[in-house]
Amino acid sequence: MQELWGQIEAATSYIRRFWQGTPKVGLILGTGLGGLAEQIDQQMTIPYGDIPHFPVSTVQSHAGRLVCGTLRGTPIVAMEGRFHYYEGYSLQQVTFPVRVMKALGAETLLVTNAAGGINPQLDLADLVVIEDHINLLPDNPLRGVNDDRLGPRWPDLCAPYTKSLIDMTRATALELGIHLHKGVFVAVSGPNLETRAEYRMLKMMGADVVGMSTVPEVLVAVHSGMKVLGFSVVTDLCLPDHLEPVDIPKILANAATGGEKLAKLIPRVIEQLR
Ligand code: HPA
């Protein structure tokens, strides 16, 4: 754990050599949602591979770089591409960038993902603001000796997603005429999509959307005392009785359509976090 502290310091001081801003927000752009990065007034971009102790992204649709700058006047640091458990990384590796965002000064984690829609009221390319989650990953990024400098041994999860941010986001979406659902996200390990029986189970559990990311990053953000706001874009419909074979190009196309709405909503949300 001493080791993790040192690694965070090494990564943070490397980034500080190129960018001296203090981000208010750490933004994670999920699969197919990287387009938002174009709106950032980019002061510095750093490939993950250059940052000490950062893992390197293996997913083709992920650019794999850290973008530092401002979005509508708010200083932010954005991950264009994230790390997934299914790629083979440990959850400590997956969440390392969140530790670094916090160490740079970010008070809020804003996380996005592409997800399957379990709630039958959801349609393709719909947006969901995450109000709670279910963790079905077989590991936890906080497992192991706790470094009290990073956060408490037993972080409370009675409200991991910050209520005031959800309320502000819903009001902003209403103003913009963007339809925004609210729902429960369930994290699975992947890389396979789920069976019909599993989708039935996830629905019974109370999940509205399912994806292979986000929960580890949120756990570390909560552990480190950050506020959290999360969004899912519905890329496929997980209706057990009408399930179609997975079509990755279609998933990416739906992510892009939903991503356009997110690209309108998120800057207006971030603007209010200055
Ligand atoms: N299941 C899990 N992860 C996903 C899905 C899904 O249906 N769609 C996008 N990410």
Side-chain angles (χ1 to χ4, degrees):
M1 277 302 130
Q2 286 284 333
E3 203 187 342
L4 175 58
W5 182 268
Q7 290 176 350
I8 297 166
E9 280 194 335
T12 308
S13 36
Y14 180 83
I15 295 164
R16 286 238 171 281
R17 274 169 39 199
F18 302 98
W19 188 63
Q20 289 78 40
T22 302
K24 278 274 179 188
V25 179
L27 174 63
I28 301 180
L29 299 168
T31 304
L33 304 172
L36 194 56
E38 286 161 21
Q39 290 189 53
I40 299 171
D41 177 9
Q42 303 190 1
Q43 292 158 350
M44 182 53 63
T45 61
I46 310 174
Y48 293 155
D50 291 357
I51 306 172
H53 311 293
F54 251 59
V56 178
S57 183
T58 64
V59 181
Q60 274 173 3
S61 48
H62 289 218
R65 55 195 194 142
L66 198 67
V67 179
C68 310
T70 59
L71 184 53
R72 297 236 183 178
T74 305
I76 72 164
V77 48
M79 288 181 72
E80 229 183 317
R82 66 137 65 79
F83 306 102
H84 299 86
Y85 182 69
Y86 65 74
E87 294 175 88
Y89 303 113
S90 71
L91 290 185
Q92 280 83 2
Q93 288 177 300
V94 165
T95 55
F96 183 72
V98 179
R99 295 284 185 204
V100 173
M101 287 169 162
K102 166 74 181 180
L104 287 169
E107 295 161 6
T108 300
L109 178 70
L110 203 166
V111 57
T112 64
N113 62 54
I118 292 175
N119 186 324
Q121 293 189 358
L122 293 171
D123 209 344
L124 292 172
D126 272 1
L127 299 186
V128 180
V129 62
I130 302 172
E131 68 171 340
D132 206 350
H133 75 223
I134 298 171
N135 185 8
L136 293 186
L137 294 172
D139 196 3
N140 190 301
L142 307 177
R143 184 169 168 272
V145 177
N146 189 62
D147 186 334
D148 293 340
R149 292 171 295 182
L150 296 174
R153 170 73 290 186
W154 295 287
D156 181 73
L157 283 187
C158 73
Y161 300 84
T162 309
K163 171 91 170 44
S164 57
L165 293 182
I166 293 174
D167 291 347
M168 178 266 269
T169 300
R170 294 181 84 197
T172 306
L174 198 62
E175 260 172 43
L176 294 172
I178 294 172
H179 188 50
L180 181 65
H181 300 269
K182 192 165 70 146
V184 173
F185 176 87
V186 58
V188 294
S189 74
N192 57 277
L193 282 285
E194 288 67 47
T195 64
R196 292 168 196 267
E198 286 166 343
Y199 284 133
R200 257 180 224 113
M201 173 192 75
L202 297 174
K203 184 170 178 230
M204 274 168 43
M205 278 181 168
D208 298 298
V209 277
V210 53
M212 304 173 192
S213 66
T214 300
V215 164
E217 293 103 317
V218 169
L219 291 176
V220 163
V222 170
H223 182 249
S224 66
M226 295 171 86
K227 288 178 269 186
V228 176
L229 182 63
F231 294 96
S232 291
V233 173
V234 177
T235 56
D236 53 301
L237 301 181
C238 311
L239 305 171
D241 299 313
H242 305 274
L243 198 60
E244 289 173 17
V246 60
D247 182 335
I248 298 299
K250 266 193 200 162
I251 284 190
L252 292 177
N254 291 326
T257 307
E260 282 170 25
K261 289 185 268 182
L262 267 189
K264 291 197 183 94
L265 179 58
I266 287 181
R268 290 286 288 271
V269 167
I270 288 183
E271 185 177 29
Q272 296 170 72
L273 299 177
R274 219 182 303 175

